[in-house]
Structure formats: structure tokens, C-alpha cells
Amino acid sequence: MLIAALDAPRKPVAEIDYALLWGILLLLFGGLVMVYSSSIATAEGSRFTNNQPAYYLVRHGVFMCVGLIAAAVAFQIPLTLWQKYAPWLFLIGVALLAIVLIPGLGRDVNGARRWLPLGFANLQPSELMKLFAVLYTADYTVRKINVMHDLKQAFLPMFGAMALVGMLLLKEPDFGAFVVIITVAMGILFLGGLKARLFALLTVGLLIAFAILIVVSPYRRDRILGFMDPWADAYGDGYQLSHSLIAFGRGEWFGVGLGGSVEKLFYLPEAHTDFLLAVIAEELGFFGVLAVVLLFALVVQRAFAIGRRCVQLDRLYPALVAMGIGIWIGVQSFINMGVNMGVLPTKGLTLPLMSFGGSGILANCVALAILLRVDWENRQLMRGSKL
């Protein structure tokens, strides 16, 4: 029996992680459905969209197609090339963040200048910068791996780079993107060997810095106060959050049904972008939100599993890239969900893979294609094949 078991044909190893792939696709196409549902009334009642109910659906579908094509191209690129050009991509990201601040080039929306008009669409450099920050910080950590215990050699150069990025983002202002990028950079440095004691001290320092940024800015301070008690000024600073909470309350366990949201009828601002989860909660209920949470948890878990496999195969750069992408998706989705549920201050962060927005969809698709590429390379090495 033992000999027969040894001679039995082994189950072939899959070329890619299908659990991760299906999780990504379910989030993408679920987002397409919910963007359409949450934007029908807004599109139909706006001159900007020529009163076309499917305006945002069509544009989001186009963004998805572009993102998937870019992902297919990114999947073909070896991680060695991403590592080689990571510093240049980071510099391109910094240049785009600077260009968007130039009057006449950057586009102002609701008091923020975060977009570069391209005619057919708007490019948001901060979304691309999240991806470039992952690639660059992973490369930086690999290059500094032997001095990660040294504050001066390991952290201060990265601190200077992130301070420059932070300064440009706060000028837009885009505090949410700043928080995500700093968290990703710190997470990769920690995973790369930054001492726990040093990491803890730096984390405390960052929290103090964030607190100062909030205190000295009346705009951010008002958002914090509004978040703590949205009902105190339900028609002012607490307007978005109060209507988001109403949407969650109306959804109960199973929701009011797809398309049945009342809050999306000009009550809840940014229903198809920042507050998409509130519409999901109202229409699909607790179990709809739970499904979204579990899908994001699956993507993050697979990212870290792929990263751990890289470590076993002695592939440090791909490991840090995979885990960095996991941190990015996890942190941004957590913040967006927390904002929608009223447990975090309101921030202009979209729900990855689901919310309306071309730059975000493009960056997310490319990042997850790179993650799938890391997994594919792991599987080729385990088979003894050349990459």
C-alpha cells in the first residue's frame, strides 16, 4: 500500500492562487454593481452627467477594463525589474505630486487640489504614490538590511523621503493618503528588521506628529469633533456621518434590497466613492457588509501567506512587496470601513477595488497583479523552473 501511495500521481500545483484571484474579482465586480446602484439618482439628476443614469456605471466599467489590461501587463513583468526601477518610479510619483500643486495644472474639487486633468479622465497621483511607496520602501529595506538596527543609516534617509511625500500630500490636502503611505512604509521597515523598540518609539513620535497636525488645522480639528458626536451638528460637520449611520441602521440584517437605498437619493454625499459601504449596508444589510469584510480579509491573508512563502524561498524583496500590498489594502479598507461606521474620523479614502475612481482602480489592479506575479514566481521556483 505504501509503494502504491508513493507511485500514485500527485495532484498538480495550480499556476496561481485562485482564492486570491476570486477574492479580487468578486470585490471588483461587486463594486461595479454597487457603484451603479449608488450613483443612479446622482447621475440622473446632474447636468454634469447629461442626466444619464448609467454615467458612472459606464465610466467605472471603462476604468475597470483599463485597470485589468494594465494588470495583465504588470503580471508579465518580473519582480527583478520592479526592484530595479522602484527608485525611478518613486521619483516619478514625487514629481506628479509636485505638478498637481501648480496652479493651472492641478484641478481643484471641493477645496482640494489632488487631480491632474487628462481630458478623458483625471489622474490622482496620490493613488499611484501608494504603489510606488510599496515598491520603493521594499527596495530600500533590502538595500539597508544589514544596518536596520541603526536609526541614522536605516530610518533617517527614509524619513526624509516620506517627509517630502507627506509635505506634498498635506499641501493638496490629502491627509488620508498620507496616513496610508506612512503606515505602509513603517510596516515594511518593521517587517524588514527594524528593531521593535525603535519601531515603538517612532510610532509614538508619528502619533504625536499626527496629533499636532490635527490641532493646528481647524479643518481637521472640526472633523475630529464632528466624528465624536455627529448628531451635535447633523446638518453641518456631522452631516455625512449621520446619514451614513442612518443607512447602516436601515439595512439591519438583510438590507432593504439591491437598489432600494433611500440615503443615496441626494442625502448621503459621495455615496459612490467614500461612502459606498454605507449604501452596501443599507441595501444588503449586515451580511452584505460581512461578505465585503471577509473578502478583504481573504486578500490580506493571502498577501501575507505569499510573503511568508517568499521568505522560505529566500526572496526578500518580493516578500516585502507582497506584505506591503497586504498592509496597504488592509489599512485603507479598514479606514474606509471605520469612517463609514463612525469609529474613525471622516477621511477622503475610497474602498479599494470597489469605490468609483479611475486612479484608485488602476493602482489597485496593478498592485494585485504584482502580488499574483510574486505568487506565480514562488510556484515556478518550487517546481524548479526558471523564471
Side-chain angles (χ1 to χ4, degrees), residues 100-311:
V100 80
L101 297 174
I102 299 175
L105 294 181
R107 182 187 176 192
D108 289 88
V109 178
N110 296 328
R113 186 179 295 169
R114 304 174 184 173
W115 298 268
L116 288 172
L118 302 179
F120 56 90
N122 295 316
L123 176 68
Q124 189 171 356
S126 60
E127 292 294 338
L128 300 181
M129 194 66 212
K130 295 170 187 174
L131 172 60
F132 298 159
V134 169
L135 298 172
Y136 174 70
T137 308
D139 173 60
Y140 176 88
T141 304
V142 170
R143 288 188 280 111
K144 298 284 187 176
I145 194 67
N146 294 323
V147 293
M148 287 304 291
H149 61 281
D150 191 303
L151 174 66
K152 183 177 180 181
Q153 295 185 64
F155 181 76
L156 290 183
M158 177 57 67
F159 174 80
M162 289 300 138
L164 174 61
V165 171
M167 180 184 69
L168 293 171
L169 287 171
L170 292 175
K171 282 284 186 181
E172 293 184 3
D174 195 345
F175 189 68
F178 175 54
V179 171
V180 171
I181 289 172
I182 292 298
T183 304
V184 168
M186 289 292 293
I188 292 175
L189 288 173
F190 178 71
L191 293 170
L194 192 66
K195 278 189 173 182
R197 184 177 178 182
L198 180 57
F199 178 80
L201 290 173
L202 293 171
T203 301
V204 172
L206 283 172
L207 291 175
I208 294 172
F210 287 150
I212 293 172
L213 287 172
I214 291 169
V215 170
V216 300
S217 170
Y219 167 73
R220 298 190 186 100
R221 188 170 62 247
D222 290 343
R223 280 202 165 189
I224 292 293
L225 296 175
F227 139 75
M228 290 181 174
D229 186 9
W231 307 108
D233 188 14
Y235 293 99
D237 292 329
Y239 183 81
Q240 279 182 307
L241 180 53
S242 62
H243 280 278
S244 179
L245 294 176
I246 291 171
F248 271 85
R250 291 193 75 246
E252 298 185 350
W253 290 102
F254 299 101
V256 297
L258 186 62
S261 169
V262 170
E263 285 301 318
K264 69 184 182 185
L265 304 178
F266 304 101
Y267 293 104
L268 180 62
E270 310 298 338
H272 57 298
T273 55
D274 299 354
F275 284 87
L276 184 68
L277 189 70
V279 179
I280 295 173
E282 187 178 2
E283 295 190 349
L284 304 181
F286 169 81
F287 289 104
V289 174
L290 180 61
V292 172
V293 172
L294 291 177
L295 285 172
F296 276 111
L298 172 65
V299 171
V300 174
Q301 186 273 329
R302 296 314 303 155
F304 275 83
I306 291 168
R308 287 194 299 271
R309 181 58 57 86
C310 287
V311 173

